[in-house]
Amino acid sequence: MNIKILSRSANLFSTDALVQAAVKRKHTVQVIDPLNCDIVIEKKKPEIYYRGKRLDHVDAVIPRIGASITFYGTAVVRQFEMMNVFTTVQSQALVQSRDKLRSLQILSKAGLGLPKTVFTNYSKDVSGAIEHVGGAPLIIKLLEGTQGLGVVLADTQNAAESVIEAFNGLQARVIIQEYIKEAKGADIRALVIDGQVVGAMKRQGKDGEFRSNLHRGGSAEVIALSEEEENAAIKAARAMKLGVAGVDMLQSERGPLILEVNSSPGLEGIQQATGKDIAKSIIRYIERSI
């Protein structure tokens, strides 16, 4: 098969792992920077040109679209869909996954456990919003934040009010979430491909850090999911209509609570923690689907 990987750089771990997995499976593979693609829209004849050359006879694309290029990257994925090319992540699902508020609404409708969350239109009733999530300590997240950036733990009522009022003053959209104390600064990342969990790791924040992101110095180890956790991960990926998804959840006294569903999950941390070739699983997903 002819597979295109949509990525800004062939040197990124996840992109390189996918290239190697595709080559080992005897496929033709090319890394395409979506920002260097030109979209040609014509009646019943959608086309994509990459650095001046028309892309044709493409069987599948693997979108590795970063948050900073969501708009144009999604347009490229959508154009491939118009050309009847299989994509491991559909354009509409990608857009929904990047909208944290919309994602939580979808997950809530699907009946999944979530941390109690509040979103307001820069409400002046800050204390009321804080009360809705059970008071301090609580988590404040920028809607546009990624990899732990724009996430604040407010330990006290006064601190929470000050941070929220500051964000409101800057007209920065935030969501307010309850703090799950029993999680102890750890979360679970489950990798779901084609409706099956293919690997899971527990991420622990470094000392004094409530964020468990590996980019922020957190550590990871393989974990065996409970049946409830595995079902929650699969259900979350299905609700978001993602063929490939990284589902982040917290362990709580009331069961697994979904934090986020990532449409472009990094492979390095989970492959190292689990010892599994996740990239190979993605290529095999393509093989089964075409």
Side-chain angles (χ1 to χ4, degrees):
M1 285 188 295
N2 184 5
I3 299 173
K4 307 296 185 187
I5 301 173
L6 303 180
S7 173
R8 295 301 317 282
S9 173
N11 296 323
L12 296 171
F13 180 94
S14 299
T15 303
D16 182 60
L18 288 163
V19 169
Q20 292 185 43
V23 170
K24 287 179 182 177
R25 303 286 296 178
K26 310 299 184 185
H27 300 301
T28 300
V29 61
Q30 181 185 11
V31 177
I32 297 290
D33 183 345
L35 296 189
N36 288 329
C37 289
D38 295 326
I39 296 171
V40 179
I41 302 172
E42 186 179 355
K43 182 179 179 180
K44 295 185 178 181
K45 192 182 177 184
E47 294 179 321
I48 296 177
Y49 285 79
Y50 182 63
R51 294 176 175 168
K53 183 178 179 180
R54 184 163 61 92
L55 297 179
D56 51 16
H57 306 297
V58 179
D59 296 302
V61 294
I62 305 174
R64 299 291 307 174
I65 306 298
S68 63
I69 64 165
T70 297
F71 176 80
Y72 197 78
T74 302
V76 173
V77 175
R78 189 181 305 117
Q79 189 77 353
F80 274 115
E81 290 171 346
M82 291 171 61
M83 295 162 59
N84 296 316
V85 175
F86 175 78
T87 174
T88 56
V89 177
Q90 294 184 349
S91 58
Q92 189 59 38
L94 197 160
V95 171
Q96 286 187 159
S97 72
R98 290 287 158 79
D99 185 333
K100 290 182 181 178
L101 180 62
R102 177 65 178 139
S103 295
L104 291 173
Q105 291 172 322
I106 292 170
L107 296 169
S108 172
K109 185 177 180 180
L112 286 149
L114 304 167
K116 189 175 290 187
T117 303
V118 169
F119 177 72
T120 72
N121 187 41
Y122 309 122
S123 171
K124 289 183 171 59
D125 185 16
V126 174
S127 61
I130 292 171
E131 185 178 335
H132 282 309
V133 299
L138 54 79
I139 304 294
I140 303 164
K141 294 181 179 179
L142 279 172
L143 280 181
E144 302 298 326
T146 60
Q147 297 181 347
L149 297 173
V151 181
V152 178
L153 169 62
D155 289 307
T156 67
Q157 177 86 11
N158 287 339
E161 289 181 0
S162 296
V163 172
I164 295 168
E165 287 170 355
F167 279 133
N168 285 352
L170 294 170
Q171 292 197 326
R173 297 284 188 185
V174 297
I175 56 175
I176 307 164
Q177 286 187 326
E178 68 173 312
Y179 176 63
I180 308 301
K181 183 178 179 180
E182 61 266 29
K184 299 178 181 178
D187 71 6
I188 292 172
R189 160 66 63 88
L191 220 300
V192 181
I193 300 175
D194 194 21
Q196 298 293 324
V197 174
V198 296
M201 62 179 174
K202 186 171 186 177
R203 304 182 297 191
Q204 180 69 55
K206 63 183 180 181
D207 290 344
E209 175 62 74
F210 73 96
R211 293 168 294 187
S212 60
N213 304 73
L214 301 184
H215 289 87
R216 310 201 64 80
S219 59
E221 62 181 9
V222 65
I223 184 174
L225 298 182
S226 68
E227 184 176 353
E228 186 179 16
E229 290 164 348
E230 183 172 349
N231 288 339
I234 293 170
K235 189 175 180 180
R238 185 185 303 122
M240 296 300 297
K241 299 180 180 178
L242 289 168
V244 176
V247 181
D248 297 341
M249 65 183 95
L250 296 176
Q251 293 175 308
S252 79
E253 293 173 349
R254 59 182 191 267
L257 304 177
I258 307 296
L259 288 174
E260 185 176 4
V261 183
N262 195 314
S263 58
S264 188
L267 304 183
E268 183 174 11
I270 196 159
Q271 289 202 165
Q272 291 177 349
T274 64
K276 294 182 177 180
D277 190 343
I278 306 297
K280 178 182 176 181
S281 296
I282 294 174
I283 300 301
R284 295 190 68 180
Y285 166 42
I286 294 172
E287 294 170 348
R288 292 194 303 270
S289 302
I290 296 179

